[in-house]
Amino acid sequence: MKLNTKAALLILASCQFNAQADMINITVDGDLSDWGIQQTEQASDWLPNTGVHYTIQDQTGGLGVRLGAGYGGQAYDAEALYAHLTDTHLFIALATGHNPETAQNPSANSFGAGDFALDFGLNGVYELGINVKPSWDTFGIAGGVYGVTEWAYGLWEDDTLPGYKKSDHPTSIIDGILLGQSVMAISGPKTGYGEWASDKHYFYEVALGLDLLRAAGWGGESFNVHWTQMCANDSIIVDPPSVPEPEVVSLLLLGLIGTAWARLRKNIQMQGLAFELV
């Protein structure tokens, strides 16, 4: 009987280990090494750990093409965007060549950093924004999470390129309701990353509770995370995986316990029958 109990416990332990194997420990400090981002001056530097959803551009395939990757030069390049969901938090990381303190002065062809925008249900409506707030930005608080009622958009109109839709590329929050606070860190300039190792890169990291997403209307459906500069020269989007609701996780755990208990009970009954036959 002790042996069978131990076997049942091992089944549960195995399930727990497999669930923990996909967990990634992230510290929001502007250092992306805990995401798996390396510094070896190779294109593969941008590939993250298993379990992270990502989009990588790094000027590949679009250098010099209007609104393509790298349009506007390194100063307006979005290299990579990452997202990781746990059952309690959303983590976001951005690598860009755009200095977050670039002044917003369109008359001098200078365009500042935009905010993170989230589109629940992938329907083109960006319900939630995370306020980056460079020095020129007069809206809200740094790292504030907002249910957005009005977005600013970039320079380009719908007829700029075939398939381009201005409303798909929000740049910064104009108005919204403050829902809470994220944790945000932005690095200083770094070199030595990726195929273009001499280029300067800036890393953003953000963490926010899923309760803030739900407060903005998220019901667990698929969503996009979007970022671009105020000019929208180089937009980048990533779609995180969906996360089961807490009730679903509880049901799955109960199912695993029930399966282990059923196996244990069957073994006990078989042992009792063998004892009676003897």
Side-chain angles (χ1 to χ4, degrees), residues 54-90:
Y54 63 93
T55 299
I56 298 173
Q57 294 181 171
D58 198 15
Q59 298 185 343
T60 56
L63 185 61
V65 178
R66 176 172 287 189
L67 304 188
Y71 180 69
Q74 177 63 15
Y76 291 91
D77 190 28
E79 311 284 22
L81 185 60
Y82 308 93
H84 179 62
L85 272 173
T86 71
D87 57 355
T88 59
H89 285 80
L90 168 64

Side-chain angles (χ1 to χ4, degrees):
M1 184 171 174
K2 282 187 177 181
L3 180 62
N4 291 328
T5 303
K6 184 177 180 181
L9 291 175
L10 285 173
I11 292 171
L12 290 176
S14 175
C15 295
Q16 185 178 17
F17 176 81
N18 290 336
Q20 291 178 342
D22 290 333
M23 294 178 66
I24 300 169
N25 294 320
I26 295 173
T27 301
V28 179
D29 56 5
D31 179 353
L32 303 191
S33 60
D34 47 2
W35 291 77
I37 310 309
Q38 304 178 60
Q39 191 177 16
T40 64
E41 302 186 1
Q42 303 291 325
S44 59
D45 286 356
W46 300 119
L47 291 172
N49 291 325
T50 301
V52 172
H53 278 218
Y54 63 93
T55 299
I56 298 173
Q57 294 181 171
D58 198 15
Q59 298 185 343
T60 56
L63 185 61
V65 178
R66 176 172 287 189
L67 304 188
Y71 180 69
Q74 177 63 15
Y76 291 91
D77 190 28
E79 311 284 22
L81 185 60
Y82 308 93
H84 179 62
L85 272 173
T86 71
D87 57 355
T88 59
H89 285 80
L90 168 64
F91 294 89
I92 301 169
L94 168 72
T96 175
H98 188 261
N99 186 332
E101 287 302 327
T102 301
Q104 174 63 11
N105 187 357
S107 62
N109 284 325
S110 178
F111 298 92
D115 300 324
F116 292 98
L118 277 67
D119 169 14
F120 303 144
L122 313 181
N123 59 3
V125 178
Y126 286 85
E127 294 91 344
L128 184 143
I130 305 169
N131 197 21
V132 171
K133 199 172 174 62
S135 58
W136 54 264
D137 189 1
T138 59
F139 176 81
I141 60 175
V145 179
Y146 291 84
V148 181
T149 55
E150 185 178 2
W151 286 101
Y153 297 93
L155 300 177
W156 315 106
E157 298 300 332
D158 289 354
D159 58 357
T160 301
L161 283 176
Y164 182 83
K165 188 177 179 182
K166 189 170 185 174
S167 60
D168 286 343
H169 302 286
T171 56
S172 69
I173 306 166
I174 294 178
D175 198 10
I177 300 169
L178 179 63
L179 303 175
Q181 183 76 32
S182 70
V183 178
M184 180 180 294
I186 303 176
S187 76
K190 297 177 179 291
T191 58
Y193 289 86
E195 184 179 359
W196 312 88
S198 62
D199 287 346
K200 290 182 180 179
H201 300 100
Y202 299 84
F203 298 150
Y204 297 55
E205 276 190 291
V206 181
L208 66 157
L210 297 191
D211 58 322
L212 296 178
L213 274 67
R214 295 186 181 100
W218 181 61
E221 68 272 26
S222 298
F223 65 94
N224 279 335
V225 179
H226 173 281
W227 183 87
T228 189
Q229 314 87 9
M230 290 296 291
C231 53
N233 272 8
D234 191 10
S235 299
I236 191 165
I237 297 174
V238 68
D239 59 329
S242 59
V243 164
E245 291 294 303
E247 296 82 5
V248 176
V249 174
S250 298
L251 288 173
L252 289 173
L253 181 58
L254 287 173
L256 290 172
I257 294 173
T259 300
W261 172 246
R263 291 183 182 180
L264 175 60
R265 185 177 179 184
K266 182 177 180 181
N267 286 336
I268 292 172
Q269 289 174 340
M270 290 180 67
Q271 283 188 354
L273 178 61
F275 179 75
E276 290 177 4
L277 290 173
V278 172

